[in-house]
Amino acid sequence: MKLHKNVLAGVLAGTLAVGAFPAALAATVHYNDSSVTGDSAQWQAWVNGWETLSGDYTQVSLTPGKNETELNFAWYSKVEPGKTATPVVHFGTNKDALTAFTGVSADVDASLTGGAAYVYNHVTVTGLKENTNYFYTVEKNGVQSDVREYQAKSFSSVKMLYVGDPQIGASKGQPQNGEKLSASSGAANTAARNDAFAWARTLSVATQQNPDVSFIISAGDQVNKTGKAKEEEYAGYLSAPVLQSIPVATTIGNHDSLNADYFYHFNNPNATDYGKTQAGGDYYYTYGAGLFIVLNTNNYNVAEHAKAIEEAVASAPDAAWRVVTIHQDIYGSGLDHSDTDGMILRTQLTPIFDRNDIDVVLQGHDHTYTRSKLLYGDGQTHGTYEFQLNAEKTDYDWDHAYNTQNGAKIPLAPEDAEGAAAQSAFQADNYCYTIESASGNTVTNPKGTLYMSANSASGSKYYELISAQQDYIASRSQNWLPSYSVISMTSDAFSIDTYQITDDGKAEKIDETFTIKKDPSQPANEQKPVVSASSLTAGGQTYYRLRDLAASSNAFDVSWDGGVKVTTKTAYTGYKPTGSAEGSAVTLNLTVDGRSVTTPALLSNNNYYVPASFLSTLGVSL
């Protein structure tokens, strides 16, 4: 039962940071140097083994299945003379009598594996039961791997990790032991060597603190090299020991988007044809009380994303929680992206999330931590925008946003007054949200959506926070340390806690626990939009101009077409009059949502003024 979308809330007073002629943006000098933060013996062993590990493209990835009773597997197997790929997982509670599950296999693009021939294998295991220990092996050309363990946790009280941008290989160019980390291929990719070790460290700390985690949500950019071969980065990412027993629901980030290797490595459930790039498209799954929808927002066709969301919601209409993961932070606070390319889809996705009762949106991209206030759309008409690839189609055009309605190219780092004006108009158009009035860090039956942005889980790259904190942000942090969030979910509560990992390996909380509750016995937060309006006084009573009430609240529309007609929960589309004069008392007969209503009023200069007692009928308050 969706309760929180019946609320009217406060009108925003926006303060987006708009700066003309910003300097070029880039990663900071801060990063997680594994030679410093890692255990010295473990780090040295890792360095010694990197030559072998970086060339092992056959590591297994686990992904949630279409629901909690399924588990998806993916792995490469090398093409060998006289041998055939065997996409088989052996799975069960008795490691000496495992059940075989057979899937599919197909060729990997050899240009991504240095010319060596591989196939990818995708298999789904079914019939899992909660709180049960399992064992599994996978076959590589008919040879079974060593036995590994998997534990299905509770299906009713679910805990998950939420992480952002491991981006294995992004520390390229940073100093380490007198040298600069390299992004070369294979074992020479010392940046990937550093970041993969750090990624494994974060997962180890997080799961030791939370041994009951069922799965991990990654908000994208698992790896770093955009549009290029990067199997050593995937090898480093998948090598984390925790990933042998905990599945990850990955999101396609901009660094993942332009190759098919992401699709090969991750067997995503309910994969759709919506939002596709070379890496794949939108997908969804359920787990416990939650419906989880993962959008590939590197594809800017929002109509397709809307269809994916609608398909997902239709598949699980009674899910208590609807959670969306996207890579780009449409409501973030990082310097590099939050007021440029990150918010490109804000005007389009916000009303779609509202329409589909999305409770929480998990984001990445900006390598900073933020938690938003509860937000919903302002009901007004806004422009629509997209990102495009560069001329070579090898990466994104980071310098421009594009207006999809008129084709205008909007500079994101303008160099002249004309460009600054275009950027300013673009940013102003993104005042498309309303901030719900809510106090404290526990809210019940809210209307708005919570937007989270995760910092880098590996610490491979960090960005600055934008100088002026946006009005839609409730909390933010950048301490140059890898971080992760822990989400706890039951049928009536969704809580999130966020931690950073100090150089000595300790987990420190960086934000207060934020909890959303759903209680069908409690009313939704019925605060009405606050309005301002020109007024007239007659007979000791104050009357307020109807058009002003509509325009300042955007909570209802009013039209004059064969009589006065009011439609609530619809943005005002008329003009706002100026000036006022003495009015004459009249009885106003009008319709509100098709219902005939009568109220005393004043008529002045062809405008009606209504008393304060009538405002509740319009769904607003002073």
Side-chain angles (χ1 to χ4, degrees):
M1 179 178 181
K2 305 300 289 183
L3 298 168
H4 59 292
K5 295 301 179 183
N6 299 321
V7 188
L8 293 173
V11 178
L12 68 94
T15 55
L16 268 175
V18 180
F21 318 115
L25 304 176
T28 66
V29 297
H30 303 280
Y31 85 108
N32 185 11
D33 184 347
S34 292
S35 70
V36 175
T37 61
D39 174 86
S40 58
Q42 292 177 357
W43 169 246
Q44 192 56 53
W46 174 262
V47 170
N48 293 341
W50 178 245
E51 179 83 29
T52 299
L53 189 148
S54 63
D56 181 5
Y57 304 162
T58 68
Q59 297 183 68
V60 178
S61 75
L62 307 182
T63 301
K66 67 181 181 182
N67 59 49
E68 62 269 23
T69 70
E70 297 190 357
L71 183 64
N72 286 1
F73 290 76
W75 70 95
Y76 285 10
S77 52
K78 196 167 186 178
V79 174
E80 299 175 312
K83 296 184 179 181
T84 303
T86 50
V88 179
V89 173
H90 300 267
F91 195 90
T93 57
N94 182 349
K95 64 181 177 181
D96 296 320
L98 301 176
T99 300
F101 293 83
T102 302
V104 298
S105 63
D107 291 339
V108 168
D109 181 351
S111 69
L112 301 176
T113 55
Y118 287 85
V119 299
Y120 68 87
N121 304 274
H122 286 182
V123 176
T124 296
V125 168
T126 60
L128 276 69
K129 297 179 180 179
E130 65 179 333
N131 301 316
T132 303
N133 293 323
Y134 293 96
F135 302 92
Y136 74 89
T137 67
V138 304
E139 287 192 21
K140 298 176 182 178
N141 298 336
V143 178
Q144 290 191 51
S145 66
D146 293 336
V147 176
R148 294 176 177 174
E149 295 185 39
Y150 177 83
Q151 184 179 46
K153 310 297 197 309
S154 171
F155 293 168
S156 58
S157 180
V158 180
K159 185 177 284 188
M160 63 208 87
L161 297 181
Y162 156 49
V163 299
D165 298 79
Q167 206 167 334
I168 306 303
S171 64
K172 62 179 182 178
Q174 296 282 14
Q176 186 175 85
N177 300 325
E179 299 180 351
K180 286 188 175 182
L181 294 174
S182 170
S184 298
S185 298
N189 190 337
T190 54
R193 182 185 69 187
N194 177 84
D195 303 340
F197 183 91
W199 165 237
R201 171 178 176 262
T202 295
L203 294 180
S204 177
V205 171
T207 53
Q208 287 175 16
Q209 178 199 46
N210 302 277
D212 51 347
V213 163
S214 291
F215 64 96
I216 302 168
I217 295 174
S218 170
D221 280 357
Q222 283 64 231
V223 290
N224 184 66
K225 292 180 183 176
T226 307
K228 300 176 181 178
K230 47 187 173 291
E231 284 299 334
E232 74 280 354
E233 294 179 353
Y234 276 114
Y237 171 89
L238 292 171
S239 70
V242 166
L243 300 186
Q244 296 179 10
S245 58
I246 299 180
V248 187
T250 56
T251 309
I252 298 174
N254 53 286
H255 287 272
D256 310 313
S257 175
L258 299 182
N259 289 126
D261 42 14
Y262 171 93
F263 167 78
Y264 301 149
H265 280 296
F266 303 108
N267 181 12
N268 292 333
N270 293 317
T272 75
D273 289 328
Y274 302 127
K276 293 189 78 170
T277 60
Q278 290 94 318
D282 304 338
Y283 71 96
Y284 58 91
Y285 58 99
T286 60
Y287 205 105
L291 168 64
F292 297 87
I293 306 167
V294 186
L295 304 180
N296 179 6
T297 46
N298 303 283
N299 181 320
Y300 286 78
N301 188 330
V302 177
E304 291 193 5
H305 296 313
K307 290 178 180 177
I309 293 172
E310 290 163 2
E311 179 181 311
V313 169
S315 74
D318 297 325
W321 303 99
R322 297 175 182 176
V323 180
V324 168
T325 309
I326 58 178
H327 180 61
Q328 286 77 5
D329 54 334
I330 64 173
Y331 291 103
S333 200
L335 176 62
D336 277 36
H337 299 298
S338 67
D339 68 339
T340 55
D341 70 286
M343 69 180 182
I344 283 176
L345 291 178
R346 182 192 295 174
T347 59
Q348 299 176 78
L349 286 178
T350 301
I352 292 172
F353 292 158
D354 289 348
R355 190 165 65 243
N356 289 280
D357 291 332
I358 302 303
D359 297 289
V360 179
V361 176
L362 305 175
Q363 311 165 116
H365 197 44
D366 236 327
H367 299 245
T368 56
Y369 169 74
T370 62
R371 172 171 56 83
S372 79
K373 299 172 184 177
L374 296 167
L375 307 175
Y376 59 93
D378 64 1
Q380 298 187 54
T381 301
H382 293 272
T384 57
Y385 307 94
E386 68 178 7
F387 221 26
Q388 295 183 4
L389 294 174
N390 60 20
E392 296 78 22
K393 309 297 183 186
T394 57
D395 201 345
Y396 294 90
D397 175 5
W398 292 99
D399 296 325
H400 302 95
Y402 294 82
N403 187 307
T404 63
Q405 296 164 319
N406 58 26
K409 182 188 293 188
I410 303 161
L412 298 178
E415 298 178 349
D416 55 34
E418 182 180 1
Q423 184 200 40
S424 179
F426 162 67
Q427 292 177 323
D429 195 28
N430 275 276
Y431 288 104
C432 63
Y433 54 90
T434 300
I435 300 173
E436 181 172 355
S437 179
S439 60
N441 290 319
T442 299
V443 295
T444 300
N445 303 339
K447 172 181 181 177
T449 299
L450 174 67
Y451 292 82
M452 303 291 301
S453 294
N455 203 340
S456 171
S458 67
S460 62
K461 180 169 66 173
Y462 299 115
Y463 292 143
E464 298 273 2
L465 289 164
I466 200 165
S467 58
Q469 179 172 319
Q470 295 96 332
D471 64 336
Y472 56 76
I473 293 296
S475 178
R476 65 181 194 166
S477 174
Q478 179 56 283
N479 295 321
W480 320 116
L481 294 170
S483 65
Y484 61 92
S485 296
V486 181
I487 296 172
S488 301
M489 180 187 69
T490 63
S491 61
D492 58 7
F494 187 102
S495 297
I496 187 162
D497 294 278
T498 301
Y499 301 85
Q500 64 188 13
I501 302 176
T502 61
D503 286 353
D504 59 357
K506 295 179 180 178
E508 294 181 341
K509 202 169 184 181
I510 60 174
D511 194 5
E512 297 179 349
T513 302
F514 190 84
T515 301
I516 304 172
K517 292 185 175 181
K518 294 193 176 181
D519 185 351
S521 69
Q522 297 293 320
N525 178 5
E526 289 292 351
Q527 180 182 3
K528 299 176 176 63
V530 178
V531 296
S532 60
S534 296
S535 61
L536 295 173
T537 301
Q541 186 170 3
T542 303
Y543 295 78
Y544 301 91
R545 189 157 55 196
L546 189 57
R547 285 189 186 274
D548 290 354
L549 296 171
S552 66
S553 69
N554 277 309
F556 67 92
D557 193 16
V558 58
S559 61
W560 278 258
D561 182 13
V564 178
K565 296 181 179 180
V566 169
T567 305
T568 62
K569 301 180 182 179
T570 303
Y572 179 61
T573 57
Y575 76 98
K576 183 176 180 181
T578 58
S580 61
E582 187 175 341
S584 56
V586 297
T587 297
L588 175 59
N589 298 303
L590 70 163
T591 62
V592 178
D593 295 335
R595 177 171 55 94
S596 296
V597 178
T598 299
T599 181
L602 296 181
L603 181 61
S604 172
N605 292 340
N606 296 316
N607 276 281
Y608 287 105
Y609 290 66
V610 297
S613 60
F614 190 67
L615 268 57
S616 62
T617 303
L618 302 173
V620 298
S621 65
L622 294 172

